[in-house]
Every structure is written in C-alpha cells, then in structure tokens.
Amino acid sequence: MLSQRLRNDSLKELIMSAEEASRFIEDGMTVGFSGFTPAGDVKVVPFALVERVKKEGQPFKINLFTGASISSKVDSLLSDAGIVNLRLPYQSDKGMRKHLNSGEVNYIDQHLSHTAEFLRSGALPAVDVAIVEAVAITEEGYIVPGCGVGNTPIFIQQAETVIVELNLAQPLGLEGLHDIYIPNPHGSREPIPLTQPGDRIGTTVIPVEPGKIKAIVVTNELDVNAAMTPPDEETATMANHLINFLRDEVAAGRLGPSLAPLQSGVGSVANAVFYGFLDSEFSDLQVYSEVLQDAVFDLLDAGKIKMASGCSLTISPAKHDEVLENLDKYRDRLVLRPQELSNNPEIARRLGLIAINTAIEVDIYGNVNSTHIMGTQMMNGIGGSGDFARNARLTFFCTMSTAKGGKISSIVPMVSHVDHTEHDVDVIVTEQGFADLRGLSPRERAKRIIENCAHPDYKPMLMEYYEEALQKGGHTPHNLEKALSWHVKFVKEGSMK
Amino acid sequence: MLSQRLRNDSLKELIMSAEEASRFIEDGMTVGFSGFTPAGDVKVVPFALVERVKKEGQPFKINLFTGASISSKVDSLLSDAGIVNLRLPYQSDKGMRKHLNSGEVNYIDQHLSHTAEFLRSGALPAVDVAIVEAVAITEEGYIVPGCGVGNTPIFIQQAETVIVELNLAQPLGLEGLHDIYIPNPHGSREPIPLTQPGDRIGTTVIPVEPGKIKAIVVTNELDVNAAMTPPDEETATMANHLINFLRDEVAAGRLGPSLAPLQSGVGSVANAVFYGFLDSEFSDLQVYSEVLQDAVFDLLDAGKIKMASGCSLTISPAKHDEVLENLDKYRDRLVLRPQELSNNPEIARRLGLIAINTAIEVDIYGNVNSTHIMGTQMMNGIGGSGDFARNARLTFFCTMSTAKGGKISSIVPMVSHVDHTEHDVDVIVTEQGFADLRGLSPRERAKRIIENCAHPDYKPMLMEYYEEALQKGGHTPHNLEKALSWHVKFVKEGSMK
C-alpha cells in the first residue's frame, strides 16, 4: 500500500511522526499550509506543532499562509494557542475570526489570485516551510496533491523545507486530475496558453526540488467539509431569478444556449443556483471556478455540464463517497488547478465568465460589501470574488434582502465597507428579484435596486433616504449624515427598522 | 496634399461639410467619438450637430461614448445643448460635470478597459454611428488614427455608419506608430500575444468594412491639450518619495535597475514623477501606460526610456511641435494601442507593471476615492486606474496630504466613496512621505498611513479617531457615527478642522 503512495525509495527514510516533523518549524517563520476551502488541507502536523510549542513554553509566532480556508479546528487551535502573527489570504473559522477581530492576529484579506504573485515579487515575507498534503509522492519526488491545489505550488517553489502529509485515506484516483502550471517571474512571462475551461497546460504533479522534502508524515483522514444546506424556498427563489435573467439574455441573443463558463462562490446560494440548472433548458455548460461543490457533480451526472475546472473538490459528507469513489467517471471532464490559475484575471477576461458570488450587503448604487459585518467585524474574506467580478463578462452578486429575522436590511443607503465597487457589479439578485444595472447611471441604479431587490419592509425607508439624498444632489446623491445611520442604529438598538 | 491623406479615389465623393455629415446622426442614437484625453478627438462634426439640432428645434438626445475625455469645448457644448442622454466612460470637463452632477446627463463612470468588452457582449447599447479622426484613409479604406486610439476600433467595428474627420493638421508621421489589435468575441478568444511593452501584435491601421464610411469631413485643427504644470516643490517632493521607495526596492533585490514597465495616470503629479526619473540612476526604463505625456519624451530623448507604449500622445502646447515634428526620432520606441490593450488586465498582470495613479482622498485603511468630491460630486472618473491598480505588481496612489489651502485633509477616517479597495493599494504617497502597506493588516496600515502620510495639522485628529475606533474593535475598527463626520463638517463649515 505505502509503496503505491511513496514511489521513491530514498524518501522512505524521511517518514517520521508529526511531532518530529513539527520541529522544522521555528519561531518567526512563515509557513505555507496546503488547503483550499478546506479541501486538501493538512491534518496532523498543526496539532503536533501546538503540542510542541505548549510543551516548550517559549515565545513562538508564525505567519500562516494558506490557499483559502482550512479546517476550522486547525485555525481555531493555532489562533487560540496564540502562535499566529499574520494570517492570509482567507479564513472562515469562528475561532480565528474572534482573534483577528480583536486585533490579536494580523489578517490580510486578499484576492485569492494575488498571494502567489505577492510572494513571487517579494511583497510578502517568503515562505520558509511548506506543509502540504499529498495522495502520493512520485518516483521523481514530486507531489500528487489531494482534493485542493490552492497555493501549494508556489509554497513548495519558495520554501526551503517541505513537510509532506501523505494521506492514505484520499483515493489515488485523484492522480491525473490536477493541472499544475506555474507562471514565470515578471519579465519573462508568457501568455497563459489556456483558451477553453478544460485545457490542460501543465503537469499532473507539483515539482519539488530534490532535497527540499525534509519530512513525510503518513496520515489517514478525510477532508472535513461542511454539510451542504439543500436549496430552501428562499435560495431556490434567488436561483430562479438568476436563471430567468440568463434566459432573458439568451432570448436577447447576448448569450447562447450553453451560456458562458460559470464561476460560483462557495455556499448554499451558489449551490442552489447550480441545482437550478438541473431543470433548465441550458446544456453543454462549462464551469471555470474555484471550489467545485456537490451540485457540479449532479450536473456532470445529468450531462448538463460538459467540463468543470476548479481549484478544489469540496464535497459535502453526504455526497463525498459517491464522488470520490467514482472519480474515473469524471476524469475527462474535471481539472484541478492552482488558485492563481483558477482565479486568474487573464483567463477570467479571456473566457468571458459568468461570475456568481454572494454579498453581505449592497448599497443603492450597487457597491458590495462581502466581508465586514457592520463595517468593522470581519466575517471570512473577499476570497476569489474580486478576481472574478472585475473581469467576468457578467457579474452577479446574490444576497437575501434581509438578515437576522428582518432586523437587518441587506440593501442599505451606503455599504459600511466596500469590497466591490459599482464599476464591477452588473446584476444584484435577492429573493425579491433582480436588478440589472448594466448601462445605468447611479440615480437609475438606485431606483432599480430599491424597486426590484429591497424587502418591502425597507423599501419606503430606502426611497425616503434616496429622495432626501437627491435634494443634496451630485452624481451619486448621498446624505452623508445619514448614510451609515442604519448600521449605527442596528449596533445600538439591534434593528435597522 | 489631399491625395496623400485620402488614398482611395472612390471615397473622395464622400467628402462633405460637417453640417451634411451631422445628418447621419439621429435622435436616440448611440454615437462613438474618437479621442482619448483628449488626443485624436473629433473637432468639427459635434459643433455642426449642435447647430443643426438647434435649428431644427426638435427633441433630440444621443448617447455619447468616447475613449476617455475629449475636448472640453465639445463636452460642454453638447451637454449645455441638452442633447446628451448617456455619457461614458470618462470625462474631465467642467460643463459636462455640472450636468452629470445635476442628474441631467446620465453618466457611467467605467474602467477604461471595460467599454469595448461591454459593447461586444451587448451589455451597453450598440454604437450606431462612429465619428473618428484620421490623419489618412488608406487605399483599402482603412483608418490611420491621430494622436489617440482609444475606443475607435470597437466603435468602427460596431457602427453601421462611420464619419471620418480627416485632419490635415496632424502630421502623417503618426502613420506606423499605431498597433491595432482587436480581441475575438468570447468563446473564440486567443491569448493576447504581447510579452514585452514594445511588441507589435496587430496592424498599423484600423480596418473598416467597405461601405461603412458614409462621410468624410476635412479638418485642419490640432488637438487642444492642457498646458502641463511643471513640477513644483510639492509635486517634486512626492516624486522624490516615490523614487526613493523604488530605490529601496532595488536595494532589497525586489526590482532591478530597470524597475518594471511603468504606468502613470494623467496630470502633474505623474508628470513630476517621470521628470524625477531624469536625474535618477534608473536606466532602460519601459512604459506601458495609457496617456503618454511630455515627460515621457524628455526621458526618451535622454535615453532613460527605451520603449513607450500608450493609447494616446497628450503633449502640452509648449512641447507639441518638438514632439510631433520629430516623430521619426521616436518611431522605433513608441507604440499607440486601443485602450482595451493599453489598459488590459491580462497584460498588466503579465508584464508586472508599476502603476502610479492619483487619489482625491485615502482613508486610514488604504481605501482610495479617485472620483467623488465629498462622496457625491463627480470630478472626472475612475479612468484606467482600476485596470492597473488591481493587476499591477506594485500599485501607488499619490495625493497631496491636504487640499483647499489645508481645509481638507486628503487622509480621512473613511473615504466618502470607494474606487479602489484596500486589497488593491500597495503604497500611498503624499508630500509628507510614503506608507508601504504591503503585508500589513488594517490596524498596522492605519498607524503607518497616519504617521507617514497625513499632514501634521490632521495627525492628532486622525489618531484620536483611530484610538476611539479601536475601542469599538473589529478587524477594521471604525466609529460609524463619526466615520464620515469630517466630510459632513466640511460641507457645513467649509473646513475639516
């Protein structure tokens, strides 16, 4: 069994315990973990590291760089242990969130395509140690990644020390699905030769310089993915609005029956939209996205999707075995890439993606807040939404029109934090309807967003704000004294009403 | 003379007066004008159009699409005449500004690389008539553009009617400088085969389908460019800070002595930075930008710049003849491209640009407002800054630390409008100093921006705000009740102090 997984005999002597491997990590180092939301994350060395640090009782801090979110347990463990100085580019853990909102952990909320570039150009501290999951190590000593590619290639390229978690629980059938392409440094960079979502332009393994692998830890644990909330009435309604919009686009001749390659953010809304395609007339769909969730596989099974490219397979426990044990079925229709390729602006613009992402709140002019609750508290991070929204052919942001049982309106006079400016937002979708903002000036946008997307409870209040703002005038009318008053009210009184 | 300029005999019969040509423009049409800040703009047909409309006395509105800003006279004339329904993607005229801020003209403030894409995908009304300046029309009936390429290729590709202003005043020496490349529609698009700023990948002329040219109007007027303010003490100080920063990057091994291809926004700060390079040790510089201003030519003359690619030549009156009469000198080192190429995210990311743009205001977390005075009044527009800032290797935003004789602080608690989010901003430069934000969390950014960039008069007020915000906590601490209070105070009292 192990010889199938570790095909280079000379590396066998590097097999060691997680505790031993953790000794390569020193105070002050920058450590890159594999893992993308949270597929393919490392599962044992982080625990051993925290044990070791606690035992030693010495001051100890690392910078923790990942692909995107990793296991919630690990983010909580490391941040609770107080050993994280800087965390980037994305997280979605309650524990880590607490520490970064208190300022105890420095967090850089970063476009997911940017991290590799910033490391390459020296804009971030260089990665000292990469800890990466593999389902196999080849004869050449190269890495076959697990369910997520993320930033693993750049971490390995930059690190002096690579620790491999060789995971026997993940199927060897993953081998061959990956397509690893690493752009040259600036100055000698070529066009990325990808013109269709399914193009394979790299290698199936991640190259590692000889001698870099210093430790191999054998593991036997599946990825821990969240359960996927099935579409409920509200997410299904939003999905319907979005699909009806696409239907209108086809009718108007702006899109064909196969639409355009689809990108969708993580979560139940995106999943519901994809389930909506199951019963639609669209066919031969293609996906060029970051996380591939459950619905993608239902659509592949139904023959609706002909090609899916992503950065990770994030399959819920309910569907996990069905997909992972039948990878051969998908082999010709599935590609997993590094996140600087899955989220690359060059590719997003070239392919003309349809980008579907979620918002926390949207303002009447179409600016989107994807990250901060009431302007100050970080939720997760911008993730890949900015990579796609700016460059897609058609950019959707979806949100329920209210939150907290109606006490929060997701449509507000002015967003309390901006992640996507009105320049990058084409269509807003709520359970109330959609607002097509293309070709509209700010004043036209305001009327359409309030009319089509706001909850009836908040519509009169929004119109009142807008009418008052109009009296002040300007291209983007605002009453700055009241622009953030809804948020202030919520913080004080627990309701925007 | 004319036969040199109009080389297709059969087109000669299309020569007509501006008044006659203006009759092709009908109420409700979308009209694309050549011109980019404002090089290569059209000079006579717009005047004839307004005359005609006034004479006819009928209701008349057009959508007016351009490359970027055009002659201030034309924007004022058309908007004062009340014939503009929708204007995009950029303007910088006092008259037009008044009308769009009053809501009388709908204005879409758009990334300059987006317009062509939006037209191609049908997200904007299709261009009915293109009115474009040419220095010559070839035997094939193709257009040799003037000093600006802008959106002329897509306007011509899409319009059913093309009106050419054949401008005898512009030198024929411009011929051969242009490089026209038009991407295929989505679905059949190839990588843009440009890997160095000087690569020529297209044709020197803009193709026109036979029969589309319906009118040729002979003109004889130079572009009217603004005088360039020479560097003063303050802009020179900012330029020095920026150049010292680059010096540090070279010393740290993050950049070589030729830096990386440079992009700079329009205006006196950018010009001052470029003049700063004259006395610097940097050599073999390259420019990949939109507008090429005076300083680029001084640097070419001094042998400091080896290659400059842009979308327009915007040369001040003082330097105009020197450059335009000596184009042969620059022929091998100068390329003019359509704006969807000069501003292309694919290219910006591949080349790893150094992007230098100006801000109206910046907040303590590094968010940038490039467009709106006090959150509501549009100044000019975002222009190309977003195309570059998001994708550059190194993104600078420059602003004087105060405006209106010190009554406005350009560093504020929260910007009143966001054009560039903190995710896209690397370095802030004011005359006070620079703040390198790379690798910093929001709390670290706040301290550095206040300390290094704010004016001493406002530093204590900013620190006071920040300290109070810290009490409220969060990843991005804010006191939402006071976040916009500086702007409110200025509007009410005429000063932020």
Side-chain angles (χ1 to χ4, degrees):
Chain A
M1 181 84 185
L2 188 67
S3 62
Q4 272 191 306
R5 301 284 190 153
L6 179 49
R7 301 170 196 157
N8 178 312
D9 278 345
S10 71
L11 292 177
K12 285 192 177 142
E13 66 187 27
L14 300 179
I15 295 179
M16 62 183 78
S17 70
E19 195 279 333
E20 285 173 294
S22 78
R23 300 196 171 276
F24 286 100
I25 305 161
E26 297 170 18
D27 177 41
M29 278 185 165
T30 295
V31 185
F33 280 18
S34 68
F36 195 100
T37 308
D41 59 347
V42 288
K43 295 169 178 76
V44 300
V45 175
F47 293 90
L49 175 68
V50 170
E51 279 301 303
R52 188 200 112 197
V53 170
K54 280 187 179 160
K55 211 178 289 169
E56 291 175 355
Q58 299 296 317
F60 188 96
K61 289 267 190 195
I62 57 169
N63 298 327
L64 174 56
F65 298 179
T66 61
S69 57
I70 53 174
S71 151
S72 197
K73 265 202 246 166
V74 171
D75 251 334
S76 278
L77 179 83
L78 294 175
S79 56
D80 283 349
I83 69 169
V84 182
N85 169 52
L86 172 63
R87 176 80 176 91
L88 64 80
Y90 185 85
Q91 64 73 44
S92 64
D93 168 56
K94 208 173 153 184
M96 178 60 83
R97 193 178 293 147
K98 188 180 73 194
H99 294 292
L100 61 89
N101 278 317
S102 73
E104 196 191 325
V105 171
N106 291 307
Y107 176 56
I108 300 181
D109 171 29
Q110 200 165 60
H111 299 301
L112 295 187
S113 79
H114 274 188
T115 312
E117 292 286 13
F118 285 13
L119 284 169
R120 202 174 279 124
S121 72
L124 288 172
V127 170
D128 299 298
V129 177
I131 314 181
V132 305
E133 179 170 274
V135 296
I137 302 175
T138 67
E139 224 179 300
E140 298 83 3
Y142 294 173
I143 301 292
V144 180
C147 285
V149 183
N151 280 317
T152 303
I154 185 76
F155 291 164
I156 287 180
Q157 195 178 52
Q158 193 162 67
E160 303 217 337
T161 298
V162 175
I163 299 171
V164 183
E165 289 197 1
L166 187 61
N167 190 342
L168 308 183
Q170 292 288 14
L172 261 181
L174 286 165
E175 191 169 358
L177 291 182
H178 310 95
D179 184 52
I180 309 300
Y181 175 95
I182 306 179
N184 284 340
H186 286 131
S188 62
R189 192 173 292 182
E190 296 293 319
I192 301 169
L194 185 153
T195 59
Q196 297 295 328
D199 285 353
R200 292 186 162 274
I201 60 172
T203 56
T204 57
V205 294
I206 304 174
V208 190
E209 272 177 61
K212 271 195 179 180
I213 298 180
K214 301 279 178 22
I216 298 171
V217 181
V218 178
T219 68
N220 203 338
E221 284 181 43
L222 292 176
D223 291 341
V224 180
N225 298 327
M228 183 58 65
T229 319
D232 56 18
E233 200 185 316
E234 284 168 332
T235 54
T237 304
M238 287 167 68
N240 276 339
H241 290 316
L242 194 150
I243 287 170
N244 283 333
F245 177 91
L246 292 174
R247 218 160 252 151
D248 291 347
E249 289 296 292
V250 174
R254 286 190 286 269
L255 286 171
S258 302
L259 304 176
L262 299 159
Q263 176 271 331
S264 86
V266 184
S268 53
V269 173
N271 212 46
V273 168
F274 271 41
Y275 275 119
F277 286 126
L278 259 185
D279 305 319
S280 76
E281 68 278 26
F282 306 123
S283 60
D284 287 331
L285 298 170
Q286 299 198 78
V287 171
Y288 195 89
S289 195
E290 32 182 41
V291 173
L292 302 179
Q293 300 182 108
D294 292 15
V296 167
F297 292 88
D298 288 298
L299 285 161
L300 282 164
D301 288 342
K304 281 282 183 191
I305 287 182
K306 68 172 185 179
M307 181 59 70
S309 167
C311 171
S312 77
L313 300 181
T314 300
I315 314 295
S316 75
K319 206 169 168 66
H320 183 273
D321 293 356
E322 189 191 325
V323 172
L324 272 288
E325 288 171 12
N326 292 289
L327 285 171
D328 268 350
K329 197 163 70 168
Y330 306 111
R331 190 161 296 282
D332 298 336
R333 296 177 290 161
L334 203 56
V335 188
L336 295 178
R337 308 178 191 277
Q339 70 197 69
E340 66 171 322
L341 267 286
S342 63
N343 290 40
N344 197 284
E346 170 174 344
I347 307 300
R349 176 86 49 122
R350 182 182 303 148
L351 297 180
L353 301 185
I354 295 175
I356 305 165
N357 292 285
T358 52
I360 287 177
E361 59 177 3
V362 177
D363 71 27
I364 57 173
Y365 298 112
N367 299 288
V368 168
N369 172 8
S370 303
T371 55
H372 284 68
I373 305 294
M374 300 299 141
T376 60
Q377 300 288 319
M378 169 59 66
M379 189 67 197
N380 299 330
I382 193 169
S385 55
D387 293 320
F388 297 111
R390 172 73 54 90
N391 291 298
R393 171 193 185 129
L394 196 53
T395 293
F396 293 91
F397 278 94
C398 306
T399 176
M400 290 294 296
S401 70
T402 59
K404 293 265 176 207
K407 290 179 179 156
I408 292 175
S409 174
S410 308
I411 313 291
V412 290
M414 179 187 266
V415 285
S416 57
H417 180 90
V418 178
D419 291 293
H420 307 285
T421 69
E422 43 111 2
H423 311 92
D424 299 335
V425 180
D426 294 324
V427 187
I428 306 291
V429 182
T430 70
E431 85 290 353
Q432 299 292 322
F434 65 77
D436 179 3
L437 307 178
R438 297 173 302 169
L440 300 188
S441 67
R443 289 171 187 227
E444 294 172 309
R445 286 177 161 227
K447 279 176 274 184
R448 189 164 300 179
I449 292 172
I450 296 170
E451 191 53 47
N452 295 9
C453 295
H455 192 278
D457 288 358
Y458 287 101
K459 252 184 218 183
M461 290 167 64
L462 286 165
M463 272 314 293
E464 191 185 334
Y465 175 84
Y466 177 63
E467 294 291 347
E468 203 178 325
L470 269 182
Q471 300 308 314
K472 309 238 170 194
H475 176 61
T476 305
H478 266 302
N479 178 351
L480 293 186
E481 286 185 70
K482 294 189 180 171
L484 298 172
S485 63
W486 294 31
H487 302 87
V488 170
K489 186 165 190 216
F490 178 82
V491 172
K492 278 192 179 155
E493 300 172 18
S495 173
M496 286 184 174
K497 273 182 188 161
Chain B
M1 182 84 186
L2 188 67
S3 62
Q4 271 191 307
R5 301 284 189 153
L6 179 49
R7 300 170 198 158
N8 178 311
D9 277 344
S10 70
L11 292 177
K12 284 190 177 145
E13 66 187 27
L14 301 178
I15 295 179
M16 61 183 77
S17 70
E19 196 279 332
E20 285 172 293
S22 78
R23 300 196 171 275
F24 287 100
I25 305 160
E26 297 169 18
D27 177 41
M29 279 186 164
T30 296
V31 185
F33 280 19
S34 68
F36 194 100
T37 310
D41 58 347
V42 289
K43 295 169 178 76
V44 301
V45 175
F47 293 91
L49 175 67
V50 170
E51 279 303 303
R52 188 200 113 198
V53 170
K54 281 188 180 159
K55 211 177 289 171
E56 290 175 355
Q58 299 296 314
F60 189 96
K61 289 265 189 195
I62 57 169
N63 298 327
L64 173 56
F65 298 179
T66 61
S69 57
I70 53 173
S71 150
S72 194
K73 263 202 246 167
V74 171
D75 252 334
S76 278
L77 179 81
L78 294 175
S79 56
D80 283 348
I83 69 169
V84 182
N85 169 51
L86 172 63
R87 176 82 177 88
L88 63 80
Y90 185 85
Q91 62 73 43
S92 64
D93 168 56
K94 207 171 154 187
M96 178 60 83
R97 193 178 292 145
K98 186 181 73 193
H99 294 291
L100 61 89
N101 278 317
S102 74
E104 197 192 325
V105 171
N106 291 307
Y107 177 56
I108 300 181
D109 171 29
Q110 200 165 59
H111 299 301
L112 294 187
S113 79
H114 274 188
T115 312
E117 293 285 13
F118 285 13
L119 284 169
R120 203 174 279 124
S121 73
L124 288 172
V127 170
D128 299 298
V129 177
I131 314 181
V132 305
E133 179 171 276
V135 297
I137 302 175
T138 67
E139 224 178 300
E140 298 84 1
Y142 294 172
I143 301 293
V144 180
C147 286
V149 184
N151 280 318
T152 302
I154 185 77
F155 291 162
I156 288 180
Q157 194 178 53
Q158 193 162 68
E160 304 215 339
T161 297
V162 175
I163 299 172
V164 182
E165 289 197 1
L166 187 61
N167 190 342
L168 308 182
Q170 293 288 13
L172 261 181
L174 286 164
E175 189 169 2
L177 290 182
H178 310 95
D179 185 53
I180 310 300
Y181 176 95
I182 305 178
N184 283 341
H186 287 131
S188 63
R189 193 173 292 183
E190 296 293 318
I192 300 170
L194 186 155
T195 59
Q196 296 296 329
D199 285 353
R200 290 186 164 274
I201 61 173
T203 56
T204 56
V205 294
I206 304 173
V208 190
E209 273 178 60
K212 270 194 179 180
I213 298 180
K214 301 277 178 22
I216 297 171
V217 181
V218 178
T219 68
N220 203 337
E221 284 182 42
L222 292 176
D223 292 341
V224 179
N225 298 325
M228 184 58 65
T229 318
D232 56 18
E233 199 186 318
E234 284 167 334
T235 55
T237 304
M238 287 168 69
N240 276 339
H241 290 316
L242 194 151
I243 287 171
N244 283 333
F245 176 91
L246 292 173
R247 217 160 253 152
D248 291 348
E249 289 297 292
V250 174
R254 285 190 287 270
L255 286 171
S258 303
L259 304 176
L262 299 159
Q263 176 270 330
S264 87
V266 184
S268 53
V269 174
N271 212 44
V273 168
F274 270 42
Y275 275 120
F277 285 127
L278 259 184
D279 306 319
S280 76
E281 68 278 27
F282 306 122
S283 60
D284 287 332
L285 298 170
Q286 299 197 77
V287 171
Y288 196 88
S289 195
E290 32 183 42
V291 173
L292 303 179
Q293 300 183 109
D294 293 14
V296 167
F297 292 88
D298 289 299
L299 286 161
L300 282 164
D301 288 341
K304 281 284 181 190
I305 288 182
K306 68 173 184 179
M307 181 59 71
S309 167
C311 172
S312 77
L313 299 181
T314 299
I315 314 293
S316 76
K319 206 169 167 68
H320 182 274
D321 294 356
E322 188 190 327
V323 172
L324 271 289
E325 289 172 10
N326 292 289
L327 285 171
D328 268 349
K329 196 162 72 169
Y330 306 111
R331 191 160 296 282
D332 298 336
R333 295 177 290 161
L334 202 56
V335 188
L336 295 178
R337 308 179 192 278
Q339 71 198 70
E340 67 172 322
L341 267 284
S342 63
N343 290 41
N344 196 284
E346 170 173 343
I347 307 299
R349 176 88 48 124
R350 182 182 301 147
L351 296 180
L353 301 185
I354 295 175
I356 304 166
N357 292 286
T358 51
I360 288 177
E361 59 177 3
V362 177
D363 71 26
I364 57 174
Y365 298 113
N367 300 287
V368 168
N369 172 8
S370 302
T371 56
H372 284 68
I373 306 291
M374 300 299 141
T376 60
Q377 301 289 317
M378 170 59 66
M379 189 68 196
N380 299 331
I382 193 169
S385 56
D387 292 321
F388 297 110
R390 172 73 53 89
N391 292 298
R393 170 194 186 128
L394 195 53
T395 293
F396 293 90
F397 278 95
C398 306
T399 176
M400 289 295 297
S401 70
T402 59
K404 292 266 176 206
K407 288 178 179 154
I408 291 176
S409 174
S410 308
I411 314 291
V412 290
M414 179 186 266
V415 285
S416 57
H417 180 90
V418 178
D419 291 293
H420 308 284
T421 69
E422 43 112 0
H423 311 93
D424 298 335
V425 180
D426 294 325
V427 188
I428 306 291
V429 182
T430 69
E431 84 290 353
Q432 299 292 322
F434 65 78
D436 179 3
L437 308 177
R438 296 172 302 169
L440 300 189
S441 67
R443 291 171 186 225
E444 294 172 310
R445 286 176 162 229
K447 278 177 276 183
R448 190 166 299 179
I449 292 172
I450 297 171
E451 190 55 46
N452 294 8
C453 295
H455 191 278
D457 288 358
Y458 287 101
K459 252 184 217 182
M461 292 167 62
L462 286 164
M463 272 314 294
E464 191 185 334
Y465 176 85
Y466 177 63
E467 295 290 349
E468 203 178 325
L470 269 182
Q471 300 308 313
K472 308 238 169 195
H475 176 61
T476 305
H478 265 304
N479 178 352
L480 293 186
E481 286 186 71
K482 294 189 180 172
L484 297 172
S485 63
W486 294 31
H487 301 87
V488 171
K489 186 165 189 215
F490 178 82
V491 172
K492 278 192 181 158
E493 300 172 16
S495 172
M496 288 184 173
K497 274 183 188 161

